[in-house]
Amino acid sequence: MILAFRKQRVAAAFLSTAAVFAASFAAPSIAQEKTLRIAMTAADIPRTLGQPDQGFEGNRFTGIPMYDALTHWDLSKAEAPSVLIPGLALSWAVDAKDKTKWVFKLRPGVKFHDGSAFTADAVVWNVRKVLDKDAPHFDASQVGVTASRMPTLRTARKIDDLTVELVTSEPDAFLPINLTNLFMASPAHWDAKLKAVPAGVTDPAERAKQAWVAFAADASGSGPFKMTRFVPRERLELAANKGYWDPKRVPKIDRVVMLPMPEANARTAALLSGQVDWIEAPSPDAMAAITTRGNKMYFNPQPHVWPWQLSFAEGSPWLDKRVRHAANLCVDRTALLKLLGGMMGVPKGTVTPGHPWWGDPKFDIRFDPDAARKLMAEAGHSAAKPLKVKVQISAAAAGQKKTLPMNEAVQQSLKQCHFDVQFDVIEWNTLFTNWRRGAKDPTANGANAINVSFAAMDPFFAMVRFTSTKTFPPVSNNWGYFGNAEFDKLIADARGSFDDKARDAALAKLHARIVEEAPFVWIAHDVGPRAMSPKVKNVVQPKSWFIDIATMTMD
């Protein structure tokens, strides 16, 4: 019935979508340009002021195209995992005597979109915008989506115009990876917006806030695309930055239009009608129609996990490890694989067997409902006395896949193992905000688990932020307050290992213990499905949550 209802909605979605797009692209001058039109899963345009919201879909669509960071992910290969490469920093090194100090050598000759120069002063300014409450340009609204992703960074100091020193609170070999999330906005452009704030606004914090609002509407980064038009909740338009510093990433597409379209049927209708060229997360039941019309599906296994993250707060039903193991043994992931048209990976943990961080955990995640029921019986639960659990989930979002049908399938799967699952369904961005507030916060609304997918391409994102006592809310995303001295020691060993092999060995020990203690119900790994018109060429779908628009072309 749900599937039939969704198919009935495609026609209606098409009519409303087509009307909007027909009006939007009527001008002949636009038709002459090479314009790439993208339908995102987000319900709103991710923030454009330099530190995006909307999870990593924000990084993908308003971060990486418009901005640069000191370090970048290599998104140029489909066959190999993405690795860290230089961005605005040419090189970096930790101090041999003091492992809390790093020196970054910066790329010369880089210009922001407003024409001002990128220098060490800009790096210091961008660090202060999220870490220094006394900075005149400090923006509390950017802190949550930034500081939680680089929790050990404390200060930045200019050495010379092209050299900067970054200091961490403790030795942290993960810092260069974390810095892929600190996008460099133009200080000169922000200063111009501040000067335009009416003189009648005298409070410094309010003046800074208004300057950031103005900056977001007319942003200036140094990325391969620059903003030309921004309409909240409706569209973001970007133009090629032909003066971009990396010749390999100077765009050949003239214009990119990004449109929030959270409903999968509406996205499908827009692609099939030719109103957009690219849709994120197509509905599995629409894939046949998409490909028979000549469109192309792109997908690739990627380090991205779709879990339930469990609460370890006092009174949580998940405090018993037998219950946590039972839930992991009772999820029928093969059924989910069919539900998603094959567009998922079956997890054995946060990373896959064979990964350098795998570590050979003693608990084997599999579908074994008999073993699950035995564990539940030992924990005192039965069909007559089921365990009540409540999960906070979203209706839809990037990376959340088919969140409602998937969660309903897991709900039914767990019922056979004596779980009584209830859902608290909220809007995605609200859920993402609640994720940083934690299970003890009133916004959890009594939930003892939360369903937020997460990227797992680096140690901090994959493991540390969920298992350290130092990342309890609001510092980072340890929503469930999981952690103890053993895990803090394992994390410290990995963070303090600046040799790659030693760090991988330490991370393997950490991952094995995470799987054994099961602070998650691991449900799926993502493969990042997206569909594109055959007009879009040179598409590289990397083994990453991100993708590079700059190197694409169009017929």
Side-chain angles (χ1 to χ4, degrees):
M1 181 177 291
I2 290 174
L3 181 59
F5 176 67
R6 284 192 182 125
K7 289 181 177 178
Q8 290 168 6
R9 291 173 63 187
V10 171
F14 164 73
L15 290 175
S16 61
T17 304
V20 171
F21 283 93
S24 299
F25 294 98
S29 61
I30 292 176
Q32 294 169 6
E33 294 181 319
K34 293 183 182 297
T35 301
L36 174 65
R37 302 157 300 174
I38 303 172
M40 302 180 293
T41 66
D44 194 1
I45 300 295
R47 298 187 80 196
T48 56
L49 74 181
Q51 299 305 132
D53 62 351
Q54 303 283 355
F56 272 169
E57 185 167 32
N59 282 31
R60 182 163 66 240
F61 287 129
T62 65
I64 293 171
M66 294 201 300
Y67 293 92
D68 289 307
L70 293 178
T71 54
H72 286 178
W73 291 107
D74 182 359
L75 305 176
S76 65
K77 302 177 182 66
E79 299 79 16
S82 294
V83 296
L84 201 66
I85 58 174
L88 293 178
L90 288 171
S91 64
W92 51 91
V94 69
D95 189 299
K97 295 181 180 179
D98 184 349
K99 296 281 194 302
T100 66
K101 294 181 179 180
W102 292 78
V103 173
F104 285 75
K105 294 289 186 180
L106 307 181
R107 189 178 298 277
V110 175
K111 299 286 187 182
F112 288 108
H113 298 153
D114 59 281
S116 61
F118 168 75
T119 65
D121 289 319
V123 177
V124 174
W125 188 92
N126 277 278
V127 170
R128 294 186 71 202
K129 75 183 178 187
V130 290
L131 294 184
D132 185 357
K133 293 180 180 179
D134 295 326
H137 59 291
F138 175 76
D139 185 11
S141 74
Q142 299 186 56
V143 172
V145 294
T146 311
S148 63
R149 295 172 176 174
M150 46 180 205
T152 65
L153 182 61
R154 290 295 176 265
T155 61
R157 180 178 67 87
K158 173 184 177 180
I159 296 176
D160 58 43
D161 282 349
L162 293 175
T163 312
V164 66
E165 178 189 73
L166 301 183
V167 178
T168 58
S169 58
E170 60 184 275
D172 187 359
F174 308 156
L175 180 68
I177 300 173
N178 298 161
L179 290 173
T180 58
N181 300 287
L182 181 63
F183 294 109
M184 297 291 148
S186 167
H189 195 61
W190 185 89
D191 286 342
K193 299 301 180 185
L194 181 66
K195 291 174 183 175
V197 174
V201 180
T202 57
D203 178 65
E206 180 60 26
R207 289 183 63 81
K209 180 179 178 180
Q210 292 192 24
W212 277 116
V213 170
F215 186 100
D218 177 30
S220 179
S222 63
F225 291 93
K226 51 189 177 183
M227 177 190 289
T228 57
R229 186 183 177 203
F230 172 54
V231 182
R233 304 192 70 84
E234 182 181 323
R235 66 198 298 111
L236 172 66
E237 298 184 13
L238 308 178
N241 175 14
K242 295 299 185 179
Y244 188 60
W245 55 265
D246 184 353
K248 296 188 298 297
R249 296 185 66 224
V250 173
K252 295 181 177 62
I253 294 173
D254 300 307
R255 186 166 169 263
V256 178
V257 180
M258 299 182 188
L259 304 133
M261 205 175 293
E263 218 292 313
N265 285 332
R267 292 195 300 275
T268 299
L271 180 69
L272 295 181
S273 65
Q275 304 299 329
V276 299
D277 310 295
W278 165 345
I279 64 172
E280 291 287 281
S283 180
D285 54 339
M287 288 181 188
I290 288 171
T291 54
T292 55
R293 299 283 189 90
N295 300 293
K296 186 170 182 180
M297 288 292 307
Y298 293 90
F299 54 92
N300 205 349
Q302 60 184 220
H304 196 261
V305 184
W306 199 95
W308 286 359
Q309 186 177 355
L310 309 178
S311 171
F312 288 76
E314 184 178 358
S316 171
W318 301 104
L319 292 175
D320 190 328
K321 184 162 70 172
R322 293 171 297 186
V323 168
R324 304 195 300 273
H325 280 193
N328 274 289
L329 293 171
C330 202
V331 176
D332 187 353
R333 297 171 183 85
T334 301
L336 287 173
L337 192 64
K338 293 178 181 177
L339 175 68
L340 294 174
M343 293 291 144
M344 67 167 268
V346 176
K348 288 286 189 178
T350 297
V351 300
T352 56
H355 192 285
W357 307 340
W358 169 244
D360 196 23
K362 300 298 183 289
F363 174 55
D364 178 30
I365 297 171
R366 63 194 188 278
F367 181 49
D368 191 343
D370 289 335
R373 283 188 287 267
K374 181 179 179 182
L375 287 169
M376 291 294 281
E378 292 173 3
H381 305 289
S382 63
K385 188 183 175 182
L387 179 65
K388 294 183 181 294
V389 299
K390 185 176 182 180
V391 189
Q392 197 165 75
I393 69 174
S394 68
Q400 294 298 89
K401 304 171 78 65
K402 296 186 64 165
T403 180
L404 292 178
M406 286 178 69
N407 274 301
E408 289 164 359
V410 175
Q411 179 187 49
Q412 291 303 309
S413 192
L414 292 185
K415 187 175 181 179
Q416 65 181 316
C417 299
H418 317 319
F419 287 90
D420 180 3
V421 179
Q422 296 179 333
F423 296 123
D424 180 27
V425 185
I426 60 178
E427 188 270 332
W428 158 243
N429 220 33
T430 303
L431 182 76
F432 194 76
T433 299
N434 292 357
W435 191 35
R436 297 192 296 270
R437 291 174 173 167
K440 297 178 183 179
D441 191 84
T443 57
N445 197 24
N448 43 62
I450 191 168
N451 172 218
V452 179
S453 62
F454 64 87
M457 63 274 201
D458 76 72
F460 178 75
F461 284 104
M463 295 182 274
V464 173
R465 59 178 170 159
F466 304 120
T467 59
S468 170
T469 60
K470 297 178 181 180
T471 56
F472 287 167
V475 176
S476 194
N477 300 112
N478 196 341
W479 180 88
Y481 295 86
F482 174 82
N484 53 42
E486 177 198 1
F487 278 85
D488 285 346
K489 175 65 166 56
L490 289 170
I491 291 165
D493 289 345
R495 263 202 170 123
S497 299
F498 292 83
D499 172 77
D500 291 347
K501 288 185 178 180
R503 184 170 64 248
D504 286 347
L507 289 167
K509 292 179 182 178
L510 174 62
H511 181 259
R513 290 294 294 126
I514 291 171
V515 174
E516 289 161 2
E517 290 300 314
F520 298 100
V521 178
W522 286 272
I523 297 171
H525 284 314
D526 205 353
V527 296
R530 49 180 54 95
M532 295 189 198
S533 160
K535 294 187 297 183
V536 187
K537 305 293 186 181
N538 291 329
V539 178
V540 176
Q541 172 101 357
K543 292 185 176 181
S544 171
W545 178 235
F546 306 123
I547 190 168
D548 192 1
I549 303 171
T551 56
M552 298 180 189
T553 60
M554 292 190 72
D555 285 345

